[in-house]
Amino acid sequence: MKSPPILRKLESGLLLCCAALSANVSAAVIIERLPTATATGIQADNSSGAPYSEAVSLAATTINHFTWWGYYLGGGPADDLFVAQFDGASLSGSVSSFAAGQVDGIDLYRYELALTTPYVFAGGTDLQIDLINDSLNVEWYWQGADASVGSHAPRALRLAQNELPEPGLLALLAACGMSLLLLGRQSSATGKR
């Protein structure tokens, strides 16, 4: 026998709540260098030769997201064909671009690469990041960051990893699941009478 309508609505609501809570996993920033307010990019497209490299000092970590900033002096986002590498290993995933204001009257873009498979960095050395926009139709510049590292200005970038849900969130999910189980039992007991 079917559950009363009020129970079916409650069950549906709890199920939606569980789904929403389980999706609430955020990304923890490992390193972040925000872009400068002036155009300080280094050309990193296929006409400039080898990919531009940036060394990042990190402890052992896992990386799920790579974000960077840049601008165009020729071409535009429709021409993007980014090739990114960590320590020589090519990264696969989906790249998204977003308008990020202007620098010296030039449109600045933020790019996000969500890695298909997390990159595991063992630590012990700097992480070498190579990035090039490999389109024949583009002249693209990887924007600089505010801070300086050694004798050179670093590039604007962010590395992040997915965080695991907090214990309180897991307890809440367990409580929702138990509530659904009890409601299911109650409705089947009501149906047998």
Side-chain angles (χ1 to χ4, degrees), residues 149 173 176:
V149 176
L173 286 171
C176 287

Side-chain angles (χ1 to χ4, degrees), residues 146-160:
D146 283 325
S148 63
V149 176
S151 61
H152 71 283
R155 302 298 92 201
L157 59 84
R158 179 188 301 133
L159 302 176

Side-chain angles (χ1 to χ4, degrees), residues 28-31 56 58 63 65-66 86 127 129 157-160:
V29 174
I30 300 165
I31 188 169
V56 177
L58 286 178
I63 301 168
H65 303 276
F66 174 29
F86 288 169
L127 174 63
I129 299 174
L157 59 84
R158 179 188 301 133
L159 302 176

Side-chain angles (χ1 to χ4, degrees), residues 12-52:
S12 300
L14 282 171
L15 195 58
L16 284 171
C17 180
C18 286
L21 288 171
S22 63
N24 189 24
V25 179
S26 60
V29 174
I30 300 165
I31 188 169
E32 183 174 70
R33 298 178 188 162
L34 296 176
T36 61
T38 57
T40 57
I42 291 180
Q43 191 172 354
D45 54 55
N46 65 6
S47 66
S48 60
Y52 177 78

Side-chain angles (χ1 to χ4, degrees), residues 77-114:
D79 301 313
D80 287 343
L81 184 58
F82 284 104
V83 176
Q85 295 181 333
F86 288 169
D87 285 338
S90 292
L91 308 179
S92 62
S94 59
V95 177
S96 303
S97 65
F98 308 91
Q102 288 196 331
V103 289
D104 294 334
I106 302 168
D107 292 330
L108 183 68
Y109 292 87
R110 182 183 87 244
Y111 307 87
E112 294 180 2
L113 170 60

